Amino acid sequence: MTETRKKITLPYLFKKVTEGQPISWLTCYDYPTAFLQEQAGVEMILVGDSLGMTMLGYDSTLPVTMDDMVRHAQAVRRGAPTAFVVGDMPYMTYQPSVETAIRNAGRFMAECGCDAIKLEGGASMADRIKGIVEAGIPAIGHLGLTPQSVSALGGFRVQGKSALLAKKIIDDAKALERAGAFAILLEMVPDRVCQLITERADGCIIMSLGSGPHAHGQLLIYHDMFGLYPKFKPKMAKVYGNAGEVILNGLKGYVTEVGNKQFPQPENWFGMSDDEYQELKQLLK
Ligand code: KIV
């Protein structure tokens, strides 16, 4: 176990940017994984609505509710007390109005102890970001591939490949920055577009998910890093270990050992003294 580190704060994140030190960010949805991420020194944690797919088995993030998010964010906070924890606002918890957005963002702060929230969308969501920030809640924007709009975007694919669409993402980033977002996540945007946005950022931290090395930091989906999501592995994900395979082999071993009576062994059960056992048998007569 590493020694306890100081709480990761906004000034800490901005200091890293000033010093040209990339920030590490991972998704996380549960207590034991949060505990490991904290020990590993992960600086930011995203309790993403991707939990709808990775943890709950839905085909998209759309069915995820605010109550789902609150339950998981609370568990993550318990496991990672010093990480900068970001609550991801699920579908239709901010789109309807600024007031809805502020109320739900407030739940992440009050009920989960989050440090910030993230929401998807560009200039059309700038007033939501502004309202949330004016309510005293740090906010992160999310551009490029925004999974809540996957149907409108035509699938999980790179965004902003043409000059015209890239210009729109760059304009959206400025709109979010002006609305007060302290950070923007660029998901599956070409590296050059990410570089242009990072160079133009003014007091806004740019984070990359599959958008190249020029951002101020990197985000990965935890389940993709460890072979834990069975349905697909996105191209941008680097696999750091195949935990899925290790667990599957362990499970097969368990089924085999139960079947052939190799499990359990004496170290796996609890005994009773001879005296107590004899007394018990008398009692049962
Ligand atoms: O929900 C999530 O994990 C996200 C990432 C895909 C960026 O929003």
Side-chain angles (χ1 to χ4, degrees):
M1 221 189 336
T2 56
E3 65 204 51
T4 314
R5 68 176 172 187
K6 278 197 186 154
K7 177 84 185 75
I8 306 284
T9 58
L10 271 181
Y12 168 95
L13 297 175
F14 279 108
K15 186 163 177 280
K16 285 208 82 173
V17 170
T18 309
E19 291 170 352
Q21 296 288 330
I23 298 164
S24 55
W25 194 13
L26 286 181
T27 60
C28 182
Y29 320 101
D30 61 80
Y31 171 81
T33 311
F35 186 84
L36 293 175
Q37 292 195 11
E38 171 97 7
Q39 301 308 301
V42 174
E43 293 162 310
M44 292 176 70
I45 287 180
L46 173 66
V47 186
D49 66 348
S50 51
L51 68 81
M53 299 168 81
T54 55
M55 301 294 285
L56 304 179
Y58 296 128
D59 285 335
S60 79
T61 59
L62 303 194
V64 176
T65 66
M66 199 58 213
D67 286 344
D68 292 331
M69 295 304 298
V70 165
R71 175 59 65 92
H72 285 269
Q74 288 170 336
V76 167
R77 176 44 92 202
R78 285 191 284 270
T82 70
F84 192 92
V85 174
V86 181
D88 198 15
M89 301 197 62
Y91 187 55
M92 286 301 147
T93 63
Y94 58 95
Q95 288 94 340
S97 68
V98 175
E99 191 190 324
T100 315
I102 297 172
R103 277 194 198 291
N104 286 313
R107 287 194 66 189
F108 277 117
M109 308 304 279
E111 297 177 38
C112 316
C114 283
D115 298 293
I117 61 86
K118 173 176 89 57
L119 58 80
E120 299 181 9
S124 62
M125 288 297 132
D127 62 344
R128 276 45 159 206
I129 292 275
K130 186 166 183 285
I132 289 168
V133 172
E134 282 174 355
I137 301 170
I140 302 179
H142 179 169
L143 296 172
L145 175 65
T146 44
Q148 289 174 18
S149 318
V150 69
S151 179
L153 296 175
F156 290 92
R157 57 177 62 162
V158 180
Q159 301 296 311
K161 280 171 88 174
S162 71
L164 220 55
L165 291 175
K167 169 82 168 51
K168 163 106 174 66
I169 295 175
I170 292 171
D171 290 345
D172 278 340
K174 250 320 146 205
L176 295 179
E177 179 184 293
R178 289 197 181 114
F182 81 87
I184 296 171
L185 171 67
L186 299 177
E187 179 173 352
M188 289 179 72
V189 165
D191 59 340
R192 289 172 152 179
V193 178
C194 178
Q195 183 171 15
L196 288 170
I197 292 173
T198 307
E199 286 167 359
R200 284 164 166 71
D202 183 12
C204 188
I205 301 173
I206 306 301
M207 300 294 291
S208 156
L209 172 55
S211 302
H214 304 294
H216 299 122
Q218 298 293 325
L219 170 68
L220 273 184
I221 308 286
Y222 172 82
H223 282 60
D224 296 337
M225 292 173 73
F226 292 106
L228 290 170
Y229 186 63
K231 289 195 178 160
F232 62 85
K233 180 191 99 52
K235 173 183 176 292
M236 67 217 178
K238 177 169 176 185
V239 178
Y240 282 82
N242 203 335
E245 199 173 285
V246 171
I247 294 169
L248 181 61
N249 286 338
L251 293 170
K252 285 179 178 167
Y254 171 73
V255 172
T256 304
E257 287 192 1
V258 169
N260 65 21
K261 300 186 181 169
Q262 272 179 282
F263 181 89
Q265 294 294 318
E267 65 270 24
N268 308 119
W269 70 67
F270 301 92
M272 186 182 203
S273 72
D274 288 346
D275 285 354
E276 294 295 337
Y277 184 59
Q278 291 311 329
E279 191 180 329
L280 172 62
K281 283 181 109 177
Q282 288 300 324
L283 289 171
L284 293 175
K285 274 187 184 160

